Amino acid sequence: MDFAVSETGSGSEDLTLLYDQYNGLRRRHAGFLGYPVNLAIDYRAFGELLDTLWITVGDPSTGYQPRLGLQPFEREVVRFLAKLSGARPDRTYGYVTSGGTEANLYGIHLGRQRLPEAPLYFGATAHYTVERTARLLRMEPVRIPCRRDGSIDPAALRAACVRRRGRGAVVVATVGTTVHGAIDSLPEVLDAIGPAGRHHLHVDAALGGLVAAFAPSPPPWGFDAGADSVAISGHKLIGAPVPCGVVLAREELVGSPAEVDYLSAADSTLSCSRSGLSVAFLWYALRQLGRSGLATRVHRCLETADYAVRALSRTGHRPWRHPASLTVLFERPPAPVCRRWRLATSDNLAHLVAMPHVTRDMIDRLCRDLG
């Protein structure tokens, strides 16, 4: 197949190539267990809506007359997620980002602005882009060892802060680490960073935050537990069909936005022009679900994760998961099984993530492959 972009352009066969890719993606859904994306989605109703440019610019604030009209949709997305995150929506700044990485970058950037000399502390199992963000913002990265379950070690964090006493601390706590699905204890983190002095606590809650919000015994994870900023993914549990995220922050930490005359807009975002389609997708998904629908989705996923632990136990692969996590860890199976089921692996471990599209039948078939 020829994917090259030519000098003269091409014809209708281009759509055939894209449909081939679409059909291949759909077929692979039947064996997609290892990554935290939600494949149980249906946005076909958007078909005719794609015949225009969906773009938004600047803050989704109420202080000006928007030319593009998406601000009310974005404000509602921010309001809904701020409330779930334990914040007061009327005192919370937020916007729809390109994904969790931009949301983390924004939260850490706020900490950098507040505490210019502070190092960036993060657990060894934090997302790999957190350390990259430290380099981008010219912060000292301090990688903290983790406990056996993958959560940050508070004793090691305190020791690191003692060695840098008084410099302040920008800290990333993770709610649902990439491999282990571990949840950093915010109360322990806040206690541990005391020797550093002033602090900014950013929470990477890309997947785990919304799970924690509806877990039977919710761990403290959001603004009501001491967070200053929070990142949530839009294409994971919520299920947008394109990568996107939402960043939330205490409004008083953001400061006065830049006024952009030619846009008639105020702008504190990192990206300026942003995907209006992501805004529309998130608003539509949350509008369809509501709080009760999102809670039902989380409970069903948690039940599937419990089922996976029981089923994998019978195969002798010694599964484990955090009670408020959808990630199930187990002994790494042979490579053909990992490929067939798209299992994420690290060292001698593999994991599956009980996302909304994952069924008990899929888990049973995985277990049969495991013998």
Side-chain angles (χ1 to χ4, degrees):
M1 291 184 289
D2 182 11
F3 294 95
V5 178
S6 69
E7 294 290 335
T8 59
S10 57
S12 60
E13 67 273 11
D14 294 349
L15 276 180
T16 300
L17 293 175
L18 289 172
Y19 271 102
D20 286 345
Q21 176 70 9
Y22 165 81
N23 290 327
L25 290 170
R26 297 287 297 179
R27 285 193 299 272
R28 288 194 287 274
H29 289 182
F32 206 95
L33 290 178
Y35 294 88
V37 292
N38 180 3
L39 302 179
I41 59 176
D42 185 352
Y43 288 86
R44 286 173 292 184
F46 272 67
E48 294 184 3
L49 297 176
L50 300 182
D51 192 21
T52 189
L53 172 65
W54 289 78
I55 185 173
T56 189
V57 182
D59 292 343
S61 60
T62 57
Y64 66 97
Q65 294 298 319
R67 295 180 181 179
L68 302 172
L70 283 165
Q71 283 76 14
F73 297 86
E74 191 169 12
R75 283 198 296 272
E76 183 55 25
V77 170
V78 169
R79 185 204 67 80
F80 181 88
L81 294 177
K83 194 171 182 180
L84 279 184
S85 304
R88 284 187 53 175
D90 60 332
R91 295 186 179 178
T92 304
Y93 173 84
Y95 73 93
V96 174
T97 67
S98 60
T101 298
E102 183 190 337
N104 285 335
L105 173 60
Y106 189 90
I108 296 168
H109 165 71
L110 285 181
R112 176 78 166 85
Q113 295 295 100
R114 296 177 66 195
L115 304 167
E117 303 301 320
L120 178 63
Y121 298 89
F122 55 94
T125 59
H127 196 270
Y128 71 93
T129 56
V130 171
E131 188 165 2
R132 180 186 297 170
T133 296
R135 294 196 299 270
L136 180 66
L137 297 177
R138 298 189 177 184
M139 303 173 74
E140 177 191 353
V142 184
R143 186 182 176 95
I144 304 297
C146 287
R147 295 182 284 203
R148 190 172 181 180
D149 69 353
S151 63
I152 196 167
D153 183 341
L157 176 59
R158 174 174 284 275
C161 290
V162 168
R163 290 193 294 271
R164 299 164 179 82
R165 186 182 295 275
R167 288 179 55 190
V170 179
V171 188
V172 175
T174 306
V175 179
T177 59
T178 306
V179 175
H180 296 78
I183 297 175
D184 292 339
S185 169
L186 267 61
E188 290 182 325
V189 166
L190 288 169
D191 179 67
I193 61 178
R198 294 177 62 206
H199 70 268
H200 180 96
L201 177 58
H202 174 72
V203 178
D204 178 1
L207 170 63
L210 297 185
V211 179
F214 296 109
S217 298
W221 70 277
F223 291 93
D224 50 354
D228 294 304
S229 53
V230 171
I232 295 173
S233 176
H235 57 279
K236 292 180 177 155
L237 196 68
I238 297 172
V242 294
C244 58
V246 176
V247 63
L248 306 167
R250 299 185 189 276
E251 188 175 57
E252 66 271 19
L253 304 181
V254 176
S256 300
E259 297 290 337
V260 186
D261 288 342
Y262 83 94
L263 294 175
S264 300
D267 188 15
S268 296
T269 70
L270 293 181
S271 44
C272 185
S273 297
R274 298 179 287 111
S275 169
L277 196 57
S278 295
V279 172
F281 284 145
L282 287 177
W283 175 84
Y284 178 79
L286 293 173
R287 181 90 162 182
Q288 294 293 300
L289 284 167
R291 182 185 177 94
S292 62
L294 197 55
T296 298
R297 174 174 290 180
V298 169
H299 295 157
R300 287 175 179 168
C301 290
L302 289 169
E303 289 171 358
T304 302
D306 278 337
Y307 181 83
V309 170
R310 295 194 300 273
L312 287 164
S313 294
R314 293 192 289 270
T315 70
H317 280 73
R318 296 190 294 180
W320 179 89
R321 77 175 183 92
H322 189 285
S325 172
L326 305 183
T327 301
V328 179
L329 284 162
F330 55 99
E331 292 179 344
R332 183 173 184 160
V337 176
C338 292
R339 286 195 300 270
R340 178 178 179 184
W341 292 101
R342 273 73 178 180
L343 298 177
T345 59
S346 178
D347 298 326
N348 63 338
L349 295 174
H351 77 217
L352 65 81
V353 188
M355 297 302 287
H357 67 276
V358 175
T359 64
R360 295 188 177 197
D361 177 66
M362 292 171 71
I363 293 165
D364 289 342
R365 288 187 284 125
L366 167 67
C367 290
R368 285 197 293 271
D369 285 350
L370 293 172

